[in-house]
Amino acid sequence: MKNLIRVGHGFDAHRLVDREMLVLGGVEIPYHKGLQGHSDADVLIHAICDALLGASGLGDIGKLFPDTDRRNRNRNSREFLVEVHRLLQSHAIGVVNIDVTLVAQAPKLAPFVDAMRSNLSADLGLDQSFVNVKATTTEGLGFTGRAEGIAAHAAVLVEQSIA
Ligand code: MG
């Protein structure tokens, strides 16, 4: 039996619009705008799912949960994360740690980071010290800086047992 470590990266961005809820890392954040998307548009979880699938060589979130499938409409993205985690487990792949950066000019996300970590660690069966969430602005630059959208970058390490 040997253990392979594999690294993955994920990126996602969604547009901020009126009359939508803002959900990041499964946490509802009070703000006058929210993210537009087919599911709940949880950009943080989408980036993590893509990083996990990438590390595992299993494609991407769009392939697994297409927006042409009505079952994915307004879906809670934590369900995507749990399903991705199960898929990894079925390939004898375990998550070692995840590190995420949210890019948003507004609202201030730091007060919600611990609640996001708590959700993510519960969904992935990881100790919270192995789940890091950071938030940054872009000093007013670009689409995130103009608060037209929110983006997320995720890096993950996974471990695969090979017979
Ligand atoms: Mg997305």
Side-chain angles (χ1 to χ4, degrees):
M1 192 80 124
K2 109 179 163 177
N3 273 3
L4 288 178
I5 56 164
R6 306 176 66 162
V7 68
H9 164 262
F11 171 79
D12 197 21
H14 281 263
R15 185 184 294 274
L16 275 168
V17 294
D18 295 328
R19 291 184 298 276
E20 288 282 358
M21 275 194 326
L22 179 58
V23 182
L24 295 170
V27 179
E28 272 180 45
I29 293 166
Y31 191 51
H32 67 283
K33 287 184 171 187
L35 293 176
Q36 186 177 46
H38 189 71
S39 64
D40 65 2
D42 191 326
V43 70
L44 175 59
I45 289 186
H46 294 181
I48 294 169
C49 287
D50 263 355
L52 291 170
L53 292 167
S56 309
L58 293 169
D60 62 45
I61 190 173
K63 189 170 124 191
L64 225 58
F65 309 106
D67 60 11
T68 48
D69 188 338
R70 294 176 58 136
R71 282 174 304 181
N72 296 329
R73 180 141 183 75
N74 294 324
R75 200 154 159 210
N76 180 341
S77 292
R78 289 182 72 184
E79 293 176 18
F80 296 155
L81 186 60
V82 168
E83 274 193 49
V84 165
H85 185 225
R86 263 196 223 118
L87 180 66
L88 264 59
Q89 286 177 313
S90 74
H91 286 79
I93 296 172
V95 184
V96 177
N97 75 302
I98 68 177
D99 183 26
V100 194
T101 304
L102 279 163
V103 187
Q105 197 65 35
K108 282 275 166 258
L109 298 175
F112 305 98
V113 157
D114 281 342
M116 294 177 202
R117 290 176 72 198
S118 168
N119 285 344
L120 300 170
S121 62
D123 294 344
L124 295 170
L126 279 179
D127 188 274
Q128 255 194 65
S129 62
F130 289 79
V131 179
N132 199 70
V133 178
K134 311 179 292 300
T136 187
T137 71
T138 51
E139 303 283 346
L141 296 166
F143 73 90
T144 51
R146 293 186 296 270
E148 293 167 5
I150 291 178
H153 302 261
V156 306
L157 199 70
V158 303
E159 191 169 29
Q160 183 166 29
S161 304
I162 307 258

